[in-house]
């Protein structure tokens, strides 16, 4: 095994950066392999084009005869680019994307072959998808899962395959994917936000939720990764002593990008541009060999598709450069983990960002309405928001002495805090002329258009306002963005719906003017949302104590965090907003707790294997060398050898002690796994893996890492942190 490590290092040191032709303008490459508006105008009839646009904007259904025209046009466009197959591209509840390729090929009765693709094949397919997670929605032996075309996300070409973004649902209509509830949530927030926006502009017909994700990742040479069974099997290092130098000097953050990594980025960006993914930013992150990629904001459904596609692309492009992309939230102990900041906002079809201050008191009252309602939504459903980012891998970041914490809070900055304090003092009922003037001129009217400097300084907040958007920073790097976006858009939609009911009631029954009614309702929301607002350090003990006083949840583990997903309050809000029903929510809960248990189970098995089959034998081998050395000293010096061999004998004893502790820990961990595996209830099984099995990981790791410091470097079988993080 140590031979494998040194062979890997030799390979890595001999790598040469691959030359990438990166001279073409980004604008010339952008969307070349996407059946976008430009391609549709070229290949579709006017009627077919208008039908697709109507489906995208208004969600209308496309008639079968038109679907046939669209399918034929798609086929012609794809085949002009040497495409031979098509697939319905969807996002099952595995967290990855899925596809089954079919050829543009049919046999005629005369046994002659033709290229064919019709509306039926475009609109719906029935993949053999029985093994995807379904949480009991259907029997495993039934393959009755259906994929249905989502016209709002354009089809694209990857390799020689036309990929058609689709939803994935059961025979009875329940969602088996991420896209279906996301589309429902986006529809809900569109309707609710449009109704409220009409208070300020009657011409608003539609509100789109936008998303800008920031993808953090580690880039490690594939040979070094392959010399680590833990990295290969689990995506993280289950053991390994921290490097003497890590990120202490902050010399990697925003530094010069290593040449091999830069070539990978150029290659990836080119692929992204061809697929219409508007990537814009690249830079070194805090930890060594950690980087970030970020695009321009897009409509949320498209942004989620693009992020899922990017995560798939990263692995394929990395292979060309002999890299492995690590998307695990905490692949290395002792250095920063990776997140995926979700920047979210709401924009009207008239081009107004509803979370951006304006130049007039009316536009600022509109801003405050959506701003305060979003805060109120987080305050009401903070525990549900926490569940949206829960996973076995993200638990290593949240609440683990690393920003952001597991406690949900909202940071808004000094200026907006002062504005809310002023609004809190608004008179109940009708406002006096003086108060109206003061509010419009001195409070609402003086919100600066640019708030970025003031609102973006707290990097520890899990949910922060950053000038013209909210940034959900606690999302994990390998997560599908859809889940947190489903929750956020659903709860904001519900809150806006409730807000409108309250405002209309004051206008109708209390005879208040619109502005007065809005001020009155917002005042009460501010008073009731104080507990969620926090501008301090988000991951120290003092905040934990303060959060407890405020009765905020602090669910540090996934089994704890997921329980809220099947509570009555959650079922009520999702059902009311027609995003997910009780069956779908319970199915997702089962899937997620089962996945958690399986991931901890796999990690436990891998750790036991590496500890007993790699670490202990290596330690014994080194111990035998020490024993031979002591014997040799005894042969030479006789009874006085002990003085000469004092350090060697101490090392022998230390090694024996660590071996004993490792072996005992693995044995006890296996016994706890057996008990957990015997449980039928998936929630209880996940909790037992969390509380009884996982604690042994750190104990076993501690003794393995101590052995790494004692054993001869030339014998150590696993690539070390200094090699993984600093070999470029």
């Amino acid at each position: 095994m140590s031979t494998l490590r040194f062979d890997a290092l030799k390979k890595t040191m001999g790598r040469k950066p691959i030359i990438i032709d990166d001279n073409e303008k980004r604008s010339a490459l952008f969307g070349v392999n996407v059946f976008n508006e430009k391609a549709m105008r070229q290949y579709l009839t006017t009627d077919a084009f208008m039908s697709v646009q109507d489906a995208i904007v208004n969600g209308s259904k496309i008639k079968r005869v038109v679907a046939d025209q669209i399918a034929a046009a798609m086929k012609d466009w794809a085949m002009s680019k040497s495409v031979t197959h098509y697939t319905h591209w969807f996002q099952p509840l595995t967290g990855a994307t899925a596809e089954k390729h079919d050829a543009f090929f049919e046999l005629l009765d005369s046994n002659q072959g033709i290229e064919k693709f019709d509306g039926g094949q475009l609109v719906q397919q029935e993949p053999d998808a029985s093994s995807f997670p379904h949480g009991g929605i259907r029997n495993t032996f039934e393959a009755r899962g259906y994929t249905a075309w989502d016209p709002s996300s354009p089809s694209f070409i990857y390799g020689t395959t036309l990929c058609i973004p689709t939803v994935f649902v059961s025979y009875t209509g329940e969602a088996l994917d991420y896209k279906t509830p996301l589309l429902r949530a986006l529809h809900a927030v569109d309707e609710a936000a449009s109704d409220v926006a009409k208070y300020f502009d009657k011409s608003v017909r539609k509100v789109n939720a936008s998303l800008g994700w920031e993808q953090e990742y580690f880039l490690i040479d594939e040979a070094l990764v392959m010399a680590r069974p833990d990295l290969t099997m689990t995506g993280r290092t289950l053991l390994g002593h921290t490097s003497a130098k890590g990120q202490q000097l902050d010399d990697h953050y925003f530094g010069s990008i290593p040449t091999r990594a830069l070539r990978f980025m150029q290659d990836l960006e080119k692929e992204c541009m061809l697929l219409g993914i508007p990537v814009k930013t690249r830079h070194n992150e805090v930890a060594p060999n950690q980087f970030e990629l970020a695009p321009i904001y897009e409509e949320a459904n498209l942004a989620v598709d693009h992020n899922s596609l990017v995560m798939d692309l990263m692995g394929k492009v990395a292979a060309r450069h002999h890299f492995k992309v690590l998307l695990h939230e905490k692949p290395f102990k002792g250095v920063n983990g990776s997140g995926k900041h979700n920047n979210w906002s709401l924009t009207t079809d008239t081009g107004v960002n509803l979370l951006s201050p304006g130049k007039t008191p009316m536009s600022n009252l509109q801003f405050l309405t959506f701003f305060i309602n979003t805060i109120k939504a987080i305050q009401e459903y903070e525990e549900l928001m926490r569940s949206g980012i829960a996973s076995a891998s993200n638990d290593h970041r949240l609440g683990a002495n690393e920003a952001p914490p597991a406690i949900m809070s909202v940071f808004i900055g000094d200026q907006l805090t002062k504005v809310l304090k002023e609004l809190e003092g608004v008179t109940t009922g009708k406002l006096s002329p003086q108060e109206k003037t003061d509010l419009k001129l001195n409070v609402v009217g003086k919100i600066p258009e640019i708030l970025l400097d003031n609102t973006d300084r707290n990097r520890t907040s899990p949910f922060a306002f950053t000038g013209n958007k909210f940034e959900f920073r606690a999302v994990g790097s390998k997560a599908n963005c859809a889940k947190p976006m489903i929750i956020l858009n659903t709860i904001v939609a519900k809150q806006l719906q409730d807000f409108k009911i309250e405002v209309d009631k004051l206008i109708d029954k209390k005879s208040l003017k619109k502005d007065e009614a809005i001020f009155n309702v917002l005042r009460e929301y501010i008073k009731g949302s104080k507990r969620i607002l926090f501008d301090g350090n988000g991951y120290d003990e003092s905040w934990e104590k303060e959060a407890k006083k405020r009765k905020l949840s602090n669910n540090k583990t996934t089994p704890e965090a997921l329980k809220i997903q099947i509570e009555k309050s959650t079922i009520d809000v999702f059902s009311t907003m027609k995003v997910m029903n009780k069956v779908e929510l319970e199915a997702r809960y089962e899937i997620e707790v089962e996945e958690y248990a399986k991931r901890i189970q796999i990690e436990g098995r891998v750790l036991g294997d590496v500890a007993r089959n790699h670490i202990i034998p290596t330690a014994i081998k080194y111990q035998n060398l020490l024993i031979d050395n002591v014997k040799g000293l005894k042969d030479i010096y006789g009874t006085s050898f002990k003085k000469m061999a004092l350090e060697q004998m101490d090392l022998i004893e230390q090694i024996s002690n660590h071996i004993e502790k490792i072996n005992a820990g693995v044995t006890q961990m296996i016994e706890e796994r057996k008990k957990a595996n015997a449980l039928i209830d998936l929630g209880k099984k996940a909790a037992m893996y969390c509380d009884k099995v996982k604690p042994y990981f750190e104990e076993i790791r501690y003794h393995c890492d101590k052995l790494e410091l004692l054993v001869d470097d030339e014998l150590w079988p696993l690539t070390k942190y200094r090699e993984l993080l600093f070999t470029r």
Side-chain angles (χ1 to χ4, degrees), residues 428-447:
T428 302
K430 292 185 179 181
L431 308 180
S432 67
Q434 178 62 40
E435 192 172 18
K436 278 188 178 182
T437 301
D438 186 58
L439 279 170
K440 289 184 177 180
L441 294 181
N442 299 321
V443 181
V444 176
K446 289 191 175 180
I447 300 173

Side-chain angles (χ1 to χ4, degrees), residues 322-530:
H322 303 290
F323 278 128
K324 283 284 185 182
V325 171
L326 304 183
L327 293 175
H328 193 287
E329 283 78 3
K330 194 75 171 176
F332 303 105
K333 185 178 180 180
V335 297
N336 269 27
S338 298
K340 176 152 48 193
H341 295 183
N342 277 209
N343 296 276
W344 172 87
S345 192
L346 296 170
T347 308
T348 68
D349 58 345
T350 57
V352 175
N353 181 345
L354 295 171
L355 287 173
S356 183
K359 296 179 180 179
T360 66
M362 181 59 79
S363 62
N364 280 340
L365 181 55
Q366 175 177 264
F367 155 69
L368 285 170
T369 295
F370 285 92
F371 174 71
I372 293 169
N373 270 283
T374 301
I375 294 171
K376 177 72 159 50
I378 304 301
Q379 127 77 22
E380 291 294 323
Y381 297 100
E382 49 92 11
E383 197 169 4
L384 183 57
M385 285 289 285
R386 166 66 180 95
S387 76
I389 50 167
S391 69
S393 50
N394 208 23
D395 280 357
H396 293 282
R397 291 173 66 235
L398 305 178
N401 297 317
E402 181 176 333
I407 305 165
M408 289 296 107
S409 65
V410 180
F411 173 76
I412 62 173
D414 294 337
Q415 290 173 324
L416 290 174
T417 298
K418 290 174 184 175
V419 170
L420 296 196
K421 192 172 182 180
E422 293 275 0
L423 288 176
E424 192 182 344
V426 170
T427 302
T428 302
K430 292 185 179 181
L431 308 180
S432 67
Q434 178 62 40
E435 192 172 18
K436 278 188 178 182
T437 301
D438 186 58
L439 279 170
K440 289 184 177 180
L441 294 181
N442 299 321
V443 181
V444 176
K446 289 191 175 180
I447 300 173
E449 285 186 77
I450 299 176
L451 291 164
L452 292 172
D453 291 341
N454 179 256
T455 58
D456 198 35
R457 61 179 174 81
N458 189 333
R459 305 304 296 174
T460 68
S461 174
F463 197 82
F465 185 71
T466 53
N468 58 4
K469 64 190 184 301
F470 279 99
E471 185 175 4
F472 195 10
R473 293 176 175 147
V475 181
S477 55
K478 73 174 185 179
N480 188 308
C481 294
K483 187 181 177 185
M485 286 296 104
I486 291 165
I487 293 172
L488 179 58
N489 285 288
T490 300
I491 63 175
V492 169
K494 179 65 168 66
Q495 179 53 48
L496 289 170
Q497 193 180 79
D498 292 345
F499 171 77
K500 188 171 189 305
I501 291 170
E502 291 187 60
V503 170
D504 289 347
K505 189 175 179 180
L506 289 178
I507 294 171
D508 296 339
K509 295 189 176 181
K510 299 289 184 181
S511 299
L512 295 185
K513 291 183 178 179
K514 179 181 66 180
D515 289 4
E516 290 175 328
I518 290 172
F519 277 127
N520 270 260
V521 175
L522 292 182
R523 178 197 63 229
E524 296 306 311
Y525 286 178
I526 293 166
K527 289 179 180 178
S529 299
K530 285 183 177 180

Side-chain angles (χ1 to χ4, degrees), residues 58-72:
N58 302 313
S60 60
K61 290 189 176 181
I62 295 174
K63 295 178 180 177
R64 175 58 192 267
V65 64
V66 178
D68 284 336
Q69 294 176 28
I70 296 167

Side-chain angles (χ1 to χ4, degrees), residues 211-327:
L211 170 63
W213 42 264
E214 302 168 24
Q215 181 71 60
E216 294 176 344
Y217 61 97
F218 282 85
L219 204 56
I220 310 294
D221 189 277
E222 64 182 4
L224 299 180
V225 173
M226 291 307 292
R228 295 281 315 215
D230 51 354
L231 261 181
T232 304
M233 299 296 289
T234 72
R236 76 179 184 102
T237 52
L238 298 173
L239 46 82
H241 201 279
T242 53
S243 173
K245 180 180 183 293
Q247 64 189 49
Q248 306 97 313
L249 301 177
D250 297 320
D251 52 344
H252 187 258
Y253 190 53
F254 274 52
S256 176
I257 301 172
T259 305
R260 277 186 68 203
L262 182 60
R263 295 289 185 265
F264 158 79
M265 292 175 179
Q266 291 172 328
D267 200 358
L268 176 63
E269 287 175 6
K270 190 171 182 179
E271 293 283 3
C272 286
M273 283 293 150
L274 291 170
L275 293 170
I277 305 170
V279 294
K280 185 175 178 66
T281 303
R282 66 190 185 202
H283 63 81
N284 290 0
E285 255 302 330
V286 174
N289 278 347
Q290 186 186 35
F291 307 95
E292 182 178 293
L293 167 76
I296 297 169
Y297 293 14
E298 298 179 284
E299 184 275 325
N301 177 45
L302 183 58
V304 169
D305 280 359
H306 280 167
N307 182 248
S308 296
L309 182 55
V310 159
M311 288 192 289
D312 189 43
L313 274 174
M314 290 173 90
K316 293 176 179 176
V317 173
R320 296 202 287 256
H321 296 258
H322 303 290
F323 278 128
K324 283 284 185 182
V325 171
L326 304 183
L327 293 175

Side-chain angles (χ1 to χ4, degrees), residues 177 205 498 532:
D177 65 344
R205 294 288 176 270
D498 292 345
I532 202 72

Side-chain angles (χ1 to χ4, degrees), residues 660-677:
E660 179 192 353
K661 291 290 196 300
I662 292 168
N663 202 46
V666 172
T667 299
Q668 291 161 3
M669 178 182 67
I670 291 171
E671 288 306 310
E672 293 296 341
R673 281 213 316 264
K674 288 177 181 177
K675 293 175 187 176
N677 292 338

Side-chain angles (χ1 to χ4, degrees), residues 228-231 233-234 236-240 599-617 662-663 665-667 669-670 673 693-705 718:
R228 295 281 315 215
D230 51 354
L231 261 181
M233 299 296 289
T234 72
R236 76 179 184 102
T237 52
L238 298 173
L239 46 82
R599 289 197 180 278
I600 303 301
Q601 180 189 65
I602 290 167
E603 288 190 355
R605 287 174 172 173
V606 172
L607 179 57
D609 170 53
V610 174
R612 280 184 166 168
N613 295 317
H614 299 271
I615 304 304
I616 289 178
I662 292 168
N663 202 46
V666 172
T667 299
M669 178 182 67
I670 291 171
R673 281 213 316 264
V693 177
K694 192 178 174 187
Y696 284 103
F697 291 9
E698 278 306 306
E699 184 182 330
I700 295 166
R701 178 178 192 147
Y702 172 82
H703 293 286
C704 288
D705 291 355
L718 307 177

